[in-house]
Amino acid sequence: QLHLVESGGDSVQAGGSLRLSCAVSGYTGRRICLAWIRQVPGKEREAVARIYIDSGTSDYDDRVKGRFTISQDRAKNTLYLEMISLQLEDTAMYYCAARLGTFVRCPSDARDYNYWGQGTQVTVSS
């Protein structure tokens, strides 16, 4: 059973940086999309960064492009999200999510992911 555990959430000031981690267990194959999905209460979930492990193809939501970087360490079975130039609007619960299968590009709709971690809170203050 695929299992995802996030860590690294914190409170930071606007303009600051943070790195989130997601430990992935229960699956060692390459045909998997891993994504960082964030949610603010009352708003829809946003799949802000996605990566297809087999090809390494990554995609970003326009709101974070150039500021967030998704990466994986296969040896550690860990997914990362490097975030720089954090903005107040980046405040959210960040989830690591997964979808098994063969893709050209990972789904951008958060509803297409069927494995989820418990989330880690990122709070950006002025």
Side-chain angles (χ1 to χ4, degrees), residues 71-90:
S71 63
Q72 53 149 347
D73 185 327
R74 288 280 293 172
K76 296 182 179 179
N77 290 326
T78 301
L79 180 75
Y80 299 102
L81 185 67
E82 297 276 359
M83 304 184 290
I84 65 171
S85 302
L86 282 162
Q87 303 169 357
L88 299 180
E89 308 82 72
D90 295 320

Side-chain angles (χ1 to χ4, degrees), residues 27-33 51-56 72 74 101:
Y27 182 80
T28 56
R30 300 183 64 86
R31 294 182 180 181
I32 180 172
C33 277
I51 185 168
Y52 184 52
I53 300 304
D54 196 30
S55 66
Q72 53 149 347
R74 288 280 293 172

Side-chain angles (χ1 to χ4, degrees), residues 32-49:
I32 180 172
C33 277
L34 292 172
W36 286 99
I37 297 173
R38 68 185 185 187
Q39 185 171 29
V40 175
K43 294 189 176 181
E44 289 189 359
R45 292 177 173 177
E46 301 171 344
V48 294

